[in-house]
Amino acid sequence: MKDASPQPIRLADYHPPSHLVEAVELTFRLAPRGTRVRSKIRFRANPAGLENGNLRLDGENLRLVSCALDGTPLTALDYLLTPEGLTVPAERLPGPSFTWEAEVEIDPADNTALEGLYTSGGMFCTQCEAEGFRKITFYPDRPDVMAPFTVRIESDLPILLSNGNPAASGPGWAEWHDPWPKPAYLFALVAGDLVAHSDRFTTMSGRAVTLNIWVRPGDEDKCAYAMDALKRSMRWDEEVYGREYDLDVFNIVAVDDFNMGAMENKGLNIFNSKYVLASQKTATDRDYDFIESIVAHEYFHNWTGNRITCRDWFQLCLKEGLTVFRDQQFSADTRSAPVQRIEDVLQLRARQFREDAGPLAHNVRPDAYVEINNFYTATVYEKGAELIGMLRRIVGAQEYRAALDEYFRRHDGQACTIEDWLAVFEDVTGRDLSQFKRWYTQAGTPRVSAEWQVAEGRLHLRLAQELPPTPGQPLKEPVVIPVAMGLLSPEGAELLPETTVILDGPELTRDFDLDEMARRAGIARPDHVIPSLLRGFSAPVILDAGLSRADRLVLLAHDPDPFNRWEAGRSLMRETLMEMLTGGAPDPALFDALDRLLAEDRLDAAFRALCLALPSEDDMAQAAHDAGLVPDPTAIHATRRAMQVAMARALQPRLAALYDAMDPGPAYSPDADQAAKRALRNSALTLLARIEGPARAKAHYAAATNMTDEIAGFTTLLETGDPDIARRFHDRWKDDRLVMDKWFMAQVAHAAPEQAVAIAEALTDHPLFDWTNPNRFRSVIGGLTSGNPAGFHDPTGAGYRFLADWLIRLDAKNPQTAARMSTAFETWRRYDADRQALITGALDRIAAQDGLSRDLSEMVDRIRAA
Ligand code: PHE
Ligand code: ZN
């Protein structure tokens, strides 16, 4: 039976726990089908607890063997046991302080949801965020209960790991002690036949830390880059935030079956192997980039998330927004800052703006949820990071650092709220942030529009903000929007050094004296001025800058802000594609401008590659929808193709020259410099293949010495129709799981739209298609939904049926990943009536399934309610 709709959990209903934990001791006797977990937990009544004083322990899928209070065994009459947990009434408790002991049995081999303790490729591992610990033992599984843990593991497996420092070990057992109080979601245990890539790090105060990356035998030669990224992250957090590591060891483990990217368990990070393992032959530059930023992200959580954690799951952005911001800062410092910013904004728009524009829009700090796993979203993470960036811009870098110092001083060891976070900033900077807080409590992407006139030697600029309604939030209050800006003359001279204006009401006007600006710039007074607004994407808003095509060409050629240079080009490309969609032809001026930009050799090659990239098909669908049109995914795909052909024709000599010039040579490095060259070279390759045919791609593929080049050749050949290429790639890589994920994904993403569903279907019959492995499932099903939108939106509805069938199937095993993948349907309102009916039909069919998970049913209900 489908459960009666589970009740939402509300932020407004938060109450402190009735009991706090002083210490936890756990003993695991590992066995795949019957692991015994013994717990000994020292409780004390919470003076701030407003509850009835009952002891409430969460617990799911546990077989209770025995339990006792202060050594006295309890009988079934002493407690209330439900499928969600166990309650001992206050009158049965020995007093305000007592020791709870329990033994439970669990079945890790049967745990396909990959939450709690599970097995993956012969090893045991855990995933406890957000609410997985309750599947390991009875416990107050909420982040505001923090305690030191001592763990004993008994198993014949050679490597036995848990959080904190190793305490003792012998044949068949190991003990670990984590002195830092932590919530249960940061608990971790790993056991397996693993080998370590080890190193050392000396902290700023001179403490020696052992670093280990644990992998399956055979993978140890693929850990060097992750280790290097870890050491650089540790140093960076010391230098930039003054944060030092606080244990004797730091362990990372790579596992093949993992729902997310990685997890910041205290002292024992667990990673999806995709974000650890890399070698020249098997990993692309993009993979290296992800490894670096995810290693950094999980490490940075040690302070922002672990030492200071969240009071409740509504505050998830407290750790995630801040930690994403920190990993973005790290990547910007490590690689090119403008390229990093453009890539972050591309992600934000592709995932978060999309979410904010549809039925799943929610606050950065949600007010209610049914299943918390459904709120690990782009809004909480990526928009959450943008809010930190705005705050930093508003208070300035120095005060930001002072506020962070105070945050760590004041709240170390605590479980905090967004109110605590903002109060620190208010106290340190003396500002009132009550209006800024609206960013956390209002959903939707604000729209900012600009108008200006030049008259009597003055520029008159007017900015206005508008906040469109989102589900459950019809009316909104103005937010605080920092708009970084400059002014350019029509020749591209900078008239105004960059300044930031704060738009905090419905509108704002500013006057600028042109004579004075011209005098300072040493030029004659211009009769036209081009505002360069929202430089560096200073706020997560949709800007209508009101710029003519000519103005944008000036910014593309001359804006000193690289972000806005790129943005001008992007907006010209989007406009051109929109015109082509309705029968127009591209403006040669755009191609001339791109040609000049590509020739600027002092520009970062990665930046030039970004300027050459077209808006995605999903971007175009949203742009069409915003323009009041009904997007046709097939036409969008064809238009983008036509544009690539036109660009290749117009830029052919330049692209061919770049293809030769950007060859990094035989000595391989995954560093930013070489990666940039490969990015530009491979962009040239794919564009040229549109007009030249496959010869260049064939040679490129044959000559490739690294996966970046190999996959670029492979996907180009898939598109130009080399009949044998998939088999050849398969035969070369069939024993490498991570490379085979690429093989599955590429064939679907690069299929002609009308063949994409059939190809995806055929791949799900391939012997290597293990759909219970989240990476493999995402490769094929996500390869269609994200990688091939025109194929997914096939007018027959075959793509929708395919997705619905697989979501239903996966939901029975792994609700979290099924629910996450259902977001492919979130844009259904954009499309024509036929497609809408097909999508809602697919959603209704999912909703009607017996035994649907809370995860997927919440998602389907929210998407459907639009
Ligand atoms: N907390 C993890 C991170 O952001 C993400 C995660 C959430 C992993 C839930 C697993 C489960 O780094
Ligand atoms: Zn995180």
Side-chain angles (χ1 to χ4, degrees):
M1 255 313 287
K2 199 185 150 197
D3 299 349
S5 304
Q7 286 305 299
I9 304 185
R10 292 178 199 289
L11 170 58
D13 293 341
Y14 172 83
H15 50 79
S18 64
H19 292 83
L20 302 175
V21 175
E22 283 173 347
V24 183
E25 289 171 41
L26 301 172
T27 301
F28 290 79
R29 255 194 103 64
L30 296 176
R33 303 305 314 231
T35 288
R36 289 287 176 113
V37 185
R38 286 204 308 270
S39 59
K40 185 171 179 187
I41 306 168
R42 184 87 200 135
F43 282 103
R44 113 181 113 79
N46 179 9
L50 304 172
E51 273 184 286
N52 44 28
N54 298 343
L55 175 66
R56 161 75 202 173
L57 304 175
D58 300 293
E60 286 176 21
N61 300 333
L62 306 174
R63 191 172 75 73
L64 180 58
V65 178
S66 64
C67 60
L69 280 174
D70 282 346
T72 308
L74 301 188
T75 73
L77 301 175
D78 295 320
Y79 53 80
L80 177 72
L81 187 58
T82 71
E84 282 86 45
L86 186 152
T87 304
V88 185
E91 62 273 18
R92 303 274 164 127
L93 296 172
S97 292
F98 52 86
T99 298
W100 158 270
E101 283 170 280
E103 179 161 353
V104 302
E105 190 172 89
I106 53 180
D107 188 348
D110 188 44
N111 181 352
T112 57
L114 315 182
E115 266 183 343
L117 179 68
Y118 63 95
T119 56
S120 168
M123 64 196 265
F124 290 84
C125 66
T126 55
Q127 174 51 46
C128 292
E129 187 177 7
E131 297 180 334
F133 193 73
R134 63 189 61 187
K135 298 179 173 183
I136 293 175
T137 193
F138 289 100
Y139 197 77
D141 188 8
R142 41 187 291 168
D144 55 355
V145 173
M146 299 172 82
F149 280 58
T150 303
V151 175
R152 178 182 168 89
I153 309 169
E154 298 171 3
S155 162
D156 293 338
L157 289 163
I159 301 301
L160 308 174
L161 307 172
S162 189
N163 314 91
N165 294 321
S169 62
W173 63 276
E175 286 176 6
W176 291 80
H177 178 66
D178 183 0
W180 300 104
K182 68 166 175 290
Y185 82 86
L186 292 172
F187 169 80
L189 176 154
V190 169
D193 180 9
L194 302 169
V195 289
H197 175 111
S198 303
D199 209 326
R200 296 153 71 110
F201 181 83
T202 305
T203 70
M204 59 187 184
S205 73
R207 285 193 316 101
V209 182
T210 300
L211 312 176
N212 298 306
I213 299 181
W214 296 96
V215 296
R216 295 213 303 224
D219 285 337
E220 57 272 37
D221 56 339
K222 293 187 181 149
C223 302
Y225 192 75
M227 182 60 85
D228 181 54
L230 174 62
K231 289 189 288 181
R232 286 186 284 113
S233 305
M234 295 177 87
R235 193 61 75 210
W236 186 91
D237 213 15
E238 293 183 344
E239 285 169 358
V240 179
Y241 281 86
R243 297 296 104 202
E244 186 174 359
Y245 188 61
D246 54 4
L247 290 167
D248 302 336
V249 299
F250 188 79
N251 285 314
I252 287 178
V253 182
V255 304
D256 290 337
D257 298 282
F258 202 74
N259 281 329
M260 307 281 275
M263 180 63 211
E264 70 264 24
N265 316 300
K266 183 77 186 192
L268 178 52
N269 289 0
I270 296 181
F271 273 61
N272 187 324
S273 53
K274 176 179 163 64
Y275 297 120
V276 178
L277 304 178
S279 70
Q280 171 178 352
K281 291 267 188 279
T282 59
T284 63
D285 291 321
R286 210 178 133 71
D287 293 328
Y288 279 101
D289 211 342
F290 271 121
I291 290 168
E292 181 174 81
S293 64
I294 296 178
V295 166
H297 180 98
E298 306 312 330
Y299 175 73
F300 296 158
H301 268 314
N302 191 52
W303 276 93
T304 53
N306 301 3
R307 289 285 286 257
I308 304 180
T309 192
C310 304
R311 186 192 72 173
D312 53 72
W313 292 118
F314 298 100
Q315 321 294 330
L316 183 58
C317 64
L318 179 80
K319 74 177 176 83
E320 294 304 346
L322 178 54
T323 305
V324 171
F325 179 69
R326 277 153 49 70
D327 84 56
Q328 291 176 348
Q329 279 185 305
F330 168 75
S331 295
D333 279 1
T334 311
R335 293 165 176 249
S336 143
V339 166
Q340 178 68 27
R341 186 61 186 145
I342 293 166
E343 283 171 352
D344 291 341
V345 173
L346 278 167
Q347 279 297 313
L348 181 79
R349 285 178 173 156
R351 298 175 49 233
Q352 200 279 322
F353 281 22
R354 169 180 152 121
E355 183 166 76
D356 243 355
L360 300 177
H362 57 273
N363 303 343
V364 172
R365 183 174 72 181
D367 296 317
Y369 60 79
V370 171
E371 170 52 62
I372 186 57
N373 282 335
N374 288 335
F375 285 83
Y376 286 77
T377 60
T379 297
V380 169
Y381 276 66
E382 266 78 43
K383 187 174 178 184
E386 292 298 315
L387 305 196
I388 310 294
M390 281 194 288
L391 204 47
R392 182 171 184 273
R393 197 181 278 270
I394 290 167
V395 306
Q398 272 191 349
E399 300 227 320
Y400 172 81
R401 173 66 203 262
L404 266 286
D405 288 348
E406 174 61 9
Y407 178 63
F408 294 123
R409 192 198 64 75
R410 194 185 287 184
H411 292 299
D412 186 12
Q414 296 177 6
C416 294
T417 61
I418 289 302
E419 282 74 12
D420 294 327
W421 163 256
L422 291 176
V424 167
F425 273 79
E426 292 191 323
D427 294 349
V428 169
T429 70
R431 285 164 197 267
D432 174 358
L433 293 172
S434 47
Q435 191 189 352
F436 186 84
K437 191 179 165 190
R438 289 178 190 157
W439 279 110
Y440 287 95
T441 58
Q442 294 187 150
T445 310
R447 290 180 178 265
V448 173
S449 56
E451 285 168 16
W452 71 95
Q453 291 133 21
V454 175
E456 291 157 23
R458 303 188 73 76
L459 168 77
H460 185 71
L461 176 70
R462 175 179 175 276
L463 298 174
Q465 64 169 301
E466 208 191 308
L467 290 96
T470 49
Q473 289 184 354
L475 295 174
K476 301 187 205 263
E477 306 280 352
V479 288
V480 182
I481 302 176
V483 180
M485 62 169 289
L487 297 171
L488 270 71
S489 79
E491 289 72 39
E494 186 160 38
L495 290 167
L496 177 76
E498 184 168 310
T499 168
T500 297
V501 297
I502 307 285
L503 172 63
D504 56 6
E507 63 172 74
L508 158 152
T509 57
R510 280 275 189 288
D511 265 344
F512 299 89
D513 184 331
L514 287 185
D515 283 316
E516 196 191 309
M517 290 191 302
R519 198 165 47 246
R520 284 221 197 102
I523 58 171
R525 182 174 108 187
D527 47 16
H528 180 65
V529 181
I530 305 161
S532 165
L533 300 171
L534 211 66
R535 281 184 169 175
F537 203 66
S538 57
V541 301
I542 295 171
L543 172 69
D544 176 2
L547 294 165
S548 71
R549 187 169 295 190
D551 290 343
R552 279 174 290 164
L553 284 167
V554 174
L555 295 185
L556 174 60
H558 301 293
D559 200 319
D561 178 58
F563 180 87
N564 267 10
R565 251 191 113 169
W566 168 82
E567 179 81 321
R570 172 126 298 221
S571 124
L572 289 165
M573 285 208 193
R574 192 180 305 109
E575 188 177 279
T576 303
L577 281 163
M578 287 297 291
E579 287 168 4
M580 290 170 73
L581 205 51
T582 48
D587 177 357
L590 173 58
F591 297 146
D592 291 345
L594 283 175
D595 193 53
R596 277 193 299 274
L597 185 138
L598 290 174
E600 275 185 59
D601 277 327
R602 38 172 205 91
L603 283 180
D604 186 338
F607 176 79
R608 284 182 277 169
L610 285 166
C611 290
L612 202 52
L614 292 177
S616 71
E617 291 179 26
D618 195 60
D619 276 357
M620 294 308 303
Q622 184 63 39
H625 177 75
D626 289 345
L629 306 170
V630 176
D632 173 353
T634 316
I636 287 173
H637 178 80
T639 303
R640 239 175 132 265
R641 273 302 162 84
M643 175 72 163
Q644 285 166 342
V645 170
M647 272 170 75
R649 288 218 175 95
L651 303 173
Q652 185 171 23
R654 181 76 59 205
L655 294 173
L658 283 173
Y659 182 81
D660 294 336
M662 290 296 139
D663 184 348
Y668 174 85
S669 159
D671 68 13
D673 184 48
Q674 279 206 7
K677 289 189 167 131
R678 281 188 288 270
L680 184 53
R681 185 165 192 253
N682 285 322
S683 305
L685 172 77
T686 35
L687 278 173
L688 289 169
R690 297 266 177 252
I691 55 170
E692 284 179 345
R696 190 188 294 265
K698 276 191 176 142
H700 189 85
Y701 182 74
T705 58
N706 59 75
M707 185 46 70
T708 305
D709 289 337
E710 188 168 338
I711 205 84
F714 177 55
T715 55
T716 307
L717 291 174
L718 281 172
E719 293 203 7
T720 50
D722 182 326
D724 203 33
I725 191 66
R727 189 193 56 74
R728 279 160 52 213
F729 191 101
H730 170 277
D731 291 352
R732 177 161 151 79
W733 290 112
K734 57 184 182 310
D735 297 325
D736 188 300
R737 293 177 307 273
L738 296 176
V739 178
M740 283 308 282
D741 285 334
K742 301 180 197 300
W743 180 80
F744 276 99
M745 160 95 72
Q747 289 178 82
V748 184
H750 293 272
E754 62 282 4
Q755 291 167 16
V757 177
I759 289 177
E761 260 162 4
L763 285 172
T764 60
D765 289 332
H766 191 280
L768 291 176
F769 182 70
D770 170 10
W771 58 275
T772 63
N773 174 261
N775 290 355
R776 193 57 48 95
F777 186 92
R778 280 188 285 260
S779 290
V780 176
I781 284 76
L784 181 70
T785 59
S786 317
N788 199 324
F792 175 55
H793 291 286
D794 187 275
T796 63
Y800 309 147
R801 280 193 297 277
F802 174 78
L803 176 60
D805 289 346
W806 277 107
L807 292 183
I808 289 166
R809 194 155 172 197
L810 185 64
D811 187 56
K813 297 239 182 220
N814 185 337
Q816 194 183 340
T817 290
R820 195 156 262 271
M821 302 286 293
S822 72
T823 55
F825 285 131
E826 77 184 313
T827 55
W828 68 277
R829 279 283 186 198
R830 279 180 195 159
Y831 296 100
D832 54 88
D834 289 345
R835 284 191 173 88
Q836 289 199 12
L838 289 164
I839 297 176
T840 53
L843 289 167
D844 291 348
R845 184 157 67 84
I846 297 171
Q849 291 298 309
D850 278 349
L852 200 65
S853 69
R854 184 168 60 187
D855 308 56
L856 187 54
S857 70
E858 179 187 26
M859 293 300 279
V860 169
D861 288 352
R862 284 166 64 210
I863 295 171
R864 190 71 176 81

